[in-house]
Amino acid sequence: MPRILFIAPLLLFAIVAAYLAIGLTKNARILPSALLDQPVPSFDLPPLKNDKPGLATADLQGDVMLVNVFASWCVPCRAEHPLLMQMTHDKTVPIIGLNWKDKKADARAWLAELGDPYTRIGHDPSGRAGIEWGVYGVPETYVIDRGGRIRYKHVGPMFREVLTETVLPLIKELRK
Amino acid sequence: MIAEIGHFSLILALAIALVQAVLPMAGAARGNAAWMATAAPAALMQLACIATAFGCLMYSFVISDFTVANVVQNSNSLQPMIYKVSATWGNHEGSMVLWVLILAVFGAMVAAFGRNLPPSLKARVLSVQSMVGVGFLLFILLTSNPFERVFPAPLDGRDLNPLLQDPGLAFHPPMLYIGYVGFSMAFSFAIAALIEGKVDAAWARWVRPWTLVAWSFLTAGIGLGAWWAYYELGWGGWWYWDPVENASFMPWLVGTALLHSSIIVEKRDALKTWTVLLAILTFSLSLIGTFLVRSGVLTSVHAFATDPERGVFILLLLVIAIGGSLALYAWRAPRLKGGGLFAPISREGALVLNNLLLTTAAATVFIGTLYPLFLEAIGGGKVSVGPPFFNATFVPLMIPLILALGVGPMLGWKRGDLIGAVARLKFAFAFTLSVAVVAAYISWGRSIFGVLGLTLAGWLAGCVLVEFGARIGLTRVGGGDVLRRMAGLPRAAMGMTIAHLGFAITVAGASGASLWQDEVIQFLRPGETLSIVEYDFTLRSVDTVQGPNYTAQRGIFTVRHDGAVVTTLAPERRRYVVTGTETTEAALYTQWYADLYAVIGKGDDKGAWTVHLFFKPLVPWIWGGTLLMVFGGFVSLSDRRLRIGAPTARRTAAHADPAAQPAE
Amino acid sequence: MIVRLAALLILFVLIRTGESHAVQPDERLADPMLEARARDISKGVRCLVCQNQSIDDSNADLAKDLRILLRERLTAGDSDQKIRDFLVARYGDFVLLKPPMKASTYALWFGPLVILVLAIIGLIVFFRRRAALDTTSSGAASLNTEERARLATLLDGKAGDDKGNPA
C-alpha cells in the first residue's frame, strides 16, 4: 500500500480543522444581504406620523443615508436607539425609519418616549415592504448611496464599534 | 459545600487522569510492570471522583440549590423532580460532566473486566482513555465549570427548557453519550495497537464487546431522540438532517462499519489497517460532533448556548486527539502486516462492500453538514443544505447496501458462490415480490417510492429469514432438531439475525412514514367532526388545565371508526409559567401498523380551534425496528466467546505475546 | 449532547420553538392543486428566524408571512421556480433548503459521487494487489534452496500447537 494512502486521512483532517477554525470566526446566524450593490427595491409606504412624510423608493436617491428597520415591540431596537438619536443630533447622516410589523399607535408612543431620530418614517404593518428588502428581523440598518443602491447591511442593534469601524468610513467613502 | 466537593472531585480526577495518562504508557514502553499496574486502580479512582462530582451536581439540582449558577439557569422550584434530576445533564456544563463520567465508566470497566488482556495492551488502552479524559476535564474546569456559585442567590431559577421536560428526553442524552463516548474504547484500543505495532484476532475479539455496547446504546439514543421529536414537536417528523442529528448519525454509520470490519479482522486476520482507521474515525466523528454542537459554527435547533472560547478549546482538543491519532496511524499503520486473502465475491467481500457504502454514506452526511461552513469560509456566500440534499444523496446509497445485505451472509468465507447463494434465496425473491404487490395495493395512488422502500425491506427480511432457516436446518432436519439448533446457535449469529431484521423493519417504517402520510387541517368548534382516512374525530370540548409549572388548553376528541368509538385523544397546547414558552403535546393513538396523531393549535377567539390530524402509516415500525436492532446488539454481546475473550492468552501467559486463536 | 435546547442567544424576538404544525386553516388556498404546490414549496423554504426549520413547520411570524406571500403568487399564476427565484432574489440562496446547483455547489452535489467512485476504484486496486500477492506467494518455486532448508528446520524444530499453527 503506498505511503500516501496512510497520510491522506491526516491531510484531510488538517483541511477540515482549518475550515472549522475559520468557522469559529464567523457568525452562523447572520444572513448577509442578497441585495448588496443593487438598487433599493421598489416600494411605497404610508407615513407613520402626520407631521412626517412616508417612505418610497424615490426618496432614497440623491444622498447617502441610513435606513433603520425598527419596531416598538423589539427590545434590541431600544438598545440601539440612543446611538441613532445621537447621530441625528450630530447631523452625521440622515436616518430613515422603516416601521416593521407594528401598530401605528404603539410605534408613535414608542417614538414619543424615546425620541424620533428619523427624517422620514414608512409604516409597514404587513411586513411586505420588509420582505422586498430581505428583512428577516429587527433591528436592521442599511447604508444607501447617492444612486439609491444598498451598500451595506447591519443585522442586529447598531454598536458604536460597528459605527466607527465600518459604517462611518463607508459613508465618508460614498460621499466623495 | 456540596458544590465545592464536586468541584474538588473534578480537580482530583484530573490529577489522577494525568498520572494515568503518563505512567502506564511509559511503563509499557519500558516493560515496567509496576508502572503498568497503576492503570487499573487509577481508572477506578478516576471513576470514583467523577461519579462523586456528578452526584454532587445532581444533589444540587435535587435540593434546588440556587446558589449554584447551573441550577439557577436550568431548574426551578416548580419543576417536577424527575426533571430536576434530568436537568443535571440537560445543559452544556452538566452534560460535559456526564461525558467524562461515561468515559471514566468505560475505563473502569476495562480495568475491572479486562483481566485477560495482556498487561502492556491494557496499560496503553487505559492510558489513551485517560488522555482523552484529561482533555475534557481541563475543558470543564477551565471553560465550563458547573459548580460556579452565584451571589446573591436568586429566589428561584429560570426553569429547564420546557422542550426538555419530557420523560423521553430525560433518557436520550445518557444513552447517546454511552454510545458516542463508548466508541472512545475502540479508539483507545486502536491507538494502543498502533503503538504496540500489532493487530490480531485477539485484539479484534477484545475490541468487539466495547464496540457492540457503544453501538447498541448509540442506536437506542438516536432512536429515542427521533421518537421524542416525533411526539413532542408537533408536526410528526422524526428526522430533519439537522447538523446535530447528523453529528450523532455519522459516528453511527462509521461505527456500524467498524463492527462489521472487526469481524474480518477476527475471523480472517485481514483488513487490519482499515479497521484501526475506522476505530479512530468513529470516535473522531464523536469529537467533531461535540465541537459542532457546542461551538456555534452551525445553526441548529439543538445547539447549546455558544461561546467562542469553548469552541476554540474543543477545536484544540480535536486537533490534538484526531490529528495526533491520524499522525500515529500514518506512521505506524504500514507496519501492520496484512493477513488472509479473499476473493472479491465472498463473505469478506460483502463486508468490504458494506464498509464502502457505509463510509461513503458517512462522508456524504459529513459533506452536507459542513458544506455551508466551508463555503462561507472561502467567501462563497451562504447556502443551506437541508433534507432535499440528503434525501437525494444518502438514500440512493442505501439501496445497494440493502441489496448486498441480503446476499452477504449467504456467501462463504474466502471464496463465495454468488450464483449458489442467489439460488438459495429463491424464497426471498418470492417473498419480496409478494411484499411489493401488497405494498402497491395498499398504497395505490400514493408515492411509488414508498413501494420501493417496502420492497427493499421485504428483500432484506426475506433473505434474513432464509439465512436463519438454513442455519437451523429448517428444510433439512425435523422439528425437534430445528429447535435444538436454534437454541444452540451462537449468540452472535442470533444477534446478527435479529439486528438485520430490525433494520429491515426500520427501513419499511421509514419508507411508509415519510411517503404515505395523510394530513388534514381545519378550524373546529366543539361538537364538530373532522375525518381522516376512515377515522372520525369529534371535538367534545377544549378545557383549560393547570399543570405543575404550566397552563394548557386541552382538546378532548372522541375518535370513531365505522361509527364505533375507538379511543379518546387529548392533545394539549401548553404555556410554561416561568419562561413563557409554548409547547404542543400531541396525542397519539398507536396501532401496530400506523399512528393517528392529533394536534390542537391556537384558538381564533371565536370558539373555533385549529386542529391538525395526521394518519401516519408504519411509523411504529421505525421504533420497533430500532428496538430490535438494539436488542440484537445486546444478544450479540451476550455471546460467551466475547466474555471469555481469547482463552489462550491465559495459557500462554508465559510467552511474550498470546497466540491468536481463530474464532469458529 | 444531542439535547434539543433552543439557543439562548436570541437576537431576534421572533424565535419560537416547539410549536404546533404551522399552516393555519385560513391560510390554505381553495384550489387543492395550488395548495399542494404551496405546501411543497414551503417545505423547501427555510424559516430564517428559526434554527433549521422550513416555513411549513414553523410558527414564526416571518414564516407565516412568507407562506401567505407565496400562496398569493401561486394564485397570481407564478410558476414554482419563479416563486423560488423571487425569494432567492431577496434573501439569497440560503433561503432554499435544497442547495442550488451552481459552480459554488458542484463540490457539494458531486462530492458524494466522487467519493463513491474513488472508493470503488480503491477497492478494485486493493483486490488486484491482493490477487497479485496470491500468485507470487503461492509458488513454491519462489523459495531458493537455502530458504527451503530454513523452512524445514523451522517446521521440524519448534513445536507449533496441536492445530498445526506455527508458533
Side-chain angles (χ1 to χ4, degrees), chain B residues 23-109:
Chain B
L23 211 55
M25 187 66 82
R30 287 162 178 244
N32 185 327
W35 286 7
M36 287 196 278
T38 59
L44 293 167
M45 280 206 294
Q46 216 191 111
L47 174 62
C49 289
I50 300 181
T52 306
F54 188 74
C56 290
L57 186 61
M58 193 179 284
Y59 180 75
S60 304
F61 271 95
V62 166
I63 61 166
S64 289
D65 180 359
F66 293 125
T67 61
V68 178
N70 200 251
V71 178
V72 170
Q73 280 153 14
N74 299 290
S75 188
N76 186 277
S77 50
L78 292 174
Q79 205 163 290
M81 180 53 73
I82 179 176
Y83 302 128
K84 285 185 184 166
V85 168
S86 74
T88 312
W89 56 77
N91 61 82
H92 166 74
E93 295 84 354
S95 65
M96 288 312 307
V97 179
L98 182 64
W99 219 102
V100 290
L101 177 66
I102 294 173
L103 197 64
V105 165
F106 273 89
M109 290 215 287

Side-chain angles (χ1 to χ4, degrees), chain B residues 567-612:
Chain B
T567 186
T568 305
L569 289 179
E572 285 180 13
R573 191 180 157 79
R574 291 184 188 169
R575 192 187 161 80
Y576 281 80
V577 169
V578 179
T579 51
T581 320
E582 292 185 346
T583 64
T584 37
E585 305 296 315
L588 277 96
Y589 175 61
T590 304
Q591 299 151 279
W592 67 270
Y593 64 93
D595 267 358
L596 282 175
Y597 191 102
V599 171
I600 190 155
K602 293 199 233 224
D604 67 352
D605 300 326
K606 281 176 257 159
W609 298 85
T610 308
V611 171
H612 269 269

Side-chain angles (χ1 to χ4, degrees), chain B residues 88-291:
Chain B
T88 312
W89 56 77
N91 61 82
H92 166 74
E93 295 84 354
S95 65
M96 288 312 307
V97 179
L98 182 64
W99 219 102
V100 290
L101 177 66
I102 294 173
L103 197 64
V105 165
F106 273 89
M109 290 215 287
V110 169
F113 299 118
R115 268 181 282 268
N116 49 15
L117 283 170
S120 63
L121 183 65
K122 185 169 173 179
R124 288 190 167 115
V125 165
L126 287 175
S127 252
V128 175
Q129 187 81 348
S130 206
M131 286 180 202
V132 178
V134 165
F136 279 93
L137 281 166
L138 270 175
F139 174 65
I140 294 175
L141 287 167
L142 293 178
T143 72
S144 317
N145 186 356
F147 295 111
E148 278 186 11
R149 295 276 192 185
V150 56
F151 287 118
L155 285 173
D156 214 332
R158 283 197 222 137
D159 208 15
L160 183 65
N161 187 316
L163 283 177
L164 303 178
Q165 294 191 32
D166 177 276
L169 213 54
F171 287 108
H172 168 67
M175 273 206 230
L176 212 55
Y177 284 32
I178 297 178
Y180 275 163
V181 183
F183 280 120
S184 65
M185 212 20 110
F187 174 79
S188 302
F189 267 96
I191 302 293
L194 282 174
I195 297 175
E196 297 228 320
K198 188 167 48 92
V199 172
D200 52 23
W203 178 87
R205 195 80 76 86
W206 287 313
V207 170
R208 189 77 169 270
W210 307 108
T211 314
L212 266 173
V213 168
W215 182 89
S216 301
F217 275 98
L218 187 58
T219 309
I222 295 177
L224 202 55
W227 182 57
W228 173 83
Y230 172 70
Y231 71 75
E232 176 63 29
L233 294 182
W235 53 82
W238 46 276
W239 190 259
Y240 302 97
W241 296 107
D242 180 90
V244 165
E245 288 175 337
N246 296 346
S248 71
F249 196 46
M250 288 186 279
W252 187 86
L253 289 167
V254 181
T256 307
L258 173 64
L259 209 55
H260 289 82
S261 79
S262 64
I263 299 175
I264 304 185
V265 177
E266 188 186 330
K267 295 209 194 258
R268 302 281 297 128
D269 210 37
L271 289 190
K272 297 176 190 179
T273 52
W274 173 247
T275 304
V276 164
L277 182 62
L278 280 182
I280 295 177
L281 285 179
T282 309
F283 188 58
S284 302
L285 286 168
S286 295
L287 290 176
I288 293 181
T290 308
F291 173 79

Side-chain angles (χ1 to χ4, degrees), chain B residues 164 172 176-177 180 228 235 242-245 290 300-302 352 371 384 386 519 521 573 584 610 612, chain C residues 1-6 18-21 23-25 28 39 46 51-53 94 96-97 104 123 127 130:
Chain B
L164 303 178
H172 168 67
L176 212 55
Y177 284 32
Y180 275 163
W228 173 83
W235 53 82
D242 180 90
V244 165
E245 288 175 337
T290 308
S300 158
V301 211
H302 307 70
V352 166
Y371 201 78
S384 283
E519 180 185 358
I521 314 167
R573 191 180 157 79
T584 37
T610 308
H612 269 269
Chain C
M1 202 187 307
I2 312 287
V3 177
R4 285 184 177 245
L5 271 181
E19 298 232 26
S20 62
H21 198 115
V23 178
Q24 299 295 302
R28 289 172 310 163
R39 296 297 300 277
R46 190 177 193 131
Q51 295 201 279
N52 234 24
Q53 283 178 293
F94 189 67
L96 294 178
L97 283 172
S104 60
L123 207 61
F127 276 120
R130 286 307 200 87

Side-chain angles (χ1 to χ4, degrees), chain C residues 89-163:
Chain C
R90 282 150 189 76
Y91 290 104
D93 288 330
F94 189 67
V95 78
L96 294 178
L97 283 172
K98 179 174 182 176
M101 177 75 84
K102 44 173 24 170
S104 60
T105 57
Y106 284 157
L108 174 67
W109 282 105
F110 295 120
L113 190 62
V114 166
I115 292 180
L116 184 64
V117 167
L118 282 175
I120 293 177
I121 293 176
L123 207 61
I124 296 175
V125 169
F126 169 75
F127 276 120
R128 286 252 176 91
R129 275 174 195 267
R130 286 307 200 87
L133 266 176
D134 204 3
T135 47
T136 50
S137 65
S138 62
S142 59
L143 290 174
N144 63 29
T145 341
E146 199 197 319
E147 289 168 339
R148 257 180 272 168
R150 276 179 60 207
L151 184 61
T153 336
L154 281 169
L155 287 173
D156 293 330
K158 276 233 182 98
D161 68 19
D162 323 324
K163 296 200 176 148

